Amino acid sequence: MEDLFLLSIIAGVMITAIVFLLHEAERVKSKLGFSLVVFGFVMMITMFLGASFYLLSPSNLSLAEAILINNFTMIAYILLVFPFIKKFKVKFEMSSISSLSVSLLAVINEILMSLTFNIACGVSNLFYFTFNSGWFFYPMMAEMLSIYLIHYIKGEFRKDLFPLIGITSFPPTLIDNAKWFYSSLAISLALSGLGVINSKGFIRGIYVALILSLLLLFKVYIIYDVVVTVSMITYYFSLLSQ
């Protein structure tokens, strides 16, 4: 119970950090600022990787490897940026590639955070639970909701994206229970249908894919995991690039 409480606190800190970096990505005015946002995401990725290596095989060697991974990332950033610091101070505007890069980094962080925490909890089927546990869905939902509220306060109401927050709140694969499965499946299908009505283009295609993947859960879950992951990337990209 104490370990679960500690992991929840760490998860809260990580969620706050990811939301902060996503928000900062929208505000940066220079290449240096954008590089610092990317550096923040990469540092968290290396931290989760190092922690995962250590938790899988706790030893002084694996601890040293975890520390080495983080130190190498920091030194590489300093060597790449500081010799050209003047060039990095030039004006910067988020492009589609920049928005996609930040979106991918945010989702990779969420996946690795789930992986690390599931290892810490002693989960056996890591591949399944990395994408189908509370450590994946609910930090993701909290981050998506936080970014959405930030935009809503600014007067930006994206009704085409809002159903995605609800869909991540009721994943059918979260609990091995028939009542949860069928009720959350019905909710997710209804929200996906609402998304189809209120969206267009690629985002509408995401909702259609979600409906198909939800129906396929009776046979296979991997397609659902892939579509949910792509929908997360699409969610962040749509908000960052608008």
Side-chain angles (χ1 to χ4, degrees):
M1 185 64 70
E2 290 181 0
D3 291 342
L4 184 61
F5 178 72
L6 178 60
L7 288 174
S8 299
I9 293 176
I10 296 173
V13 174
M14 294 296 100
I15 291 168
T16 302
I18 291 174
V19 171
F20 172 78
L21 289 172
L22 286 168
H23 182 51
E24 285 300 303
E26 299 179 282
R27 302 170 58 192
V28 293
K29 302 298 182 183
S30 67
K31 286 186 177 181
L32 178 60
F34 181 74
S35 70
L36 286 170
V37 169
V38 172
F39 174 68
F41 277 119
V42 173
M43 279 299 295
M44 285 196 295
I45 287 173
T46 56
M47 181 188 68
F48 286 130
L49 284 173
S52 295
F53 290 149
Y54 174 75
L55 290 170
L56 284 170
S57 180
S59 67
N60 291 333
L61 177 60
S62 59
L63 179 60
E65 290 174 345
I67 295 172
L68 183 63
I69 290 172
N70 282 276
N71 288 343
F72 175 80
T73 304
M74 187 177 299
I75 293 171
Y77 175 79
I78 292 172
L79 293 176
L80 286 170
V81 172
F82 277 74
F84 312 100
I85 195 72
K86 291 183 179 179
K87 294 182 179 179
F88 275 81
K89 289 183 178 180
V90 298
K91 187 177 179 180
F92 174 84
E93 291 185 4
M94 287 284 284
S95 64
S96 295
I97 294 177
S98 301
S99 299
L100 181 59
S101 299
V102 171
S103 302
L104 285 169
L105 287 170
V107 173
I108 290 171
N109 265 283
E110 291 164 354
I111 294 171
L112 290 177
M113 178 164 61
S114 178
L115 172 64
T116 304
F117 287 4
N118 276 299
I119 293 173
C121 291
V123 171
S124 56
N125 190 347
L126 283 175
F127 181 82
Y128 178 83
F129 284 103
T130 293
F131 293 93
N132 295 283
S133 71
W135 293 123
F136 178 66
F137 280 106
Y138 289 125
M140 173 177 65
M141 182 270 290
E143 291 159 16
M144 294 168 71
L145 179 60
S146 299
I147 293 298
Y148 191 91
L149 289 175
I150 290 172
H151 281 259
Y152 182 78
I153 291 171
K154 295 177 181 178
E156 302 167 6
F157 178 60
R158 292 292 300 270
K159 63 180 181 179
D160 57 334
L161 297 176
F162 190 74
L164 287 175
I165 301 173
I167 290 169
T168 57
S169 302
F170 299 97
T173 57
L174 182 65
I175 302 173
D176 186 15
N177 178 278
K179 290 182 179 179
W180 170 267
F181 177 82
Y182 286 107
S183 59
S184 58
L185 180 65
I187 293 171
S188 295
L189 285 170
L191 288 169
S192 297
L194 182 63
V196 170
I197 295 171
N198 291 326
S199 63
K200 56 184 179 180
F202 185 76
I203 297 178
R204 176 174 287 177
I206 288 292
Y207 285 114
V208 172
L210 277 169
I211 291 173
L212 294 175
S213 68
L214 285 164
L215 295 175
L216 287 172
L217 280 175
F218 292 99
K219 293 292 185 180
V220 63
Y221 68 87
I222 295 178
I223 297 175
Y224 173 71
D225 295 341
V226 171
V227 176
V228 167
T229 303
V230 173
S231 71
M232 292 162 53
I233 298 170
T234 303
Y235 181 91
Y236 293 134
F237 176 77
S238 299
L239 289 176
L240 289 173
S241 61
Q242 66 181 14

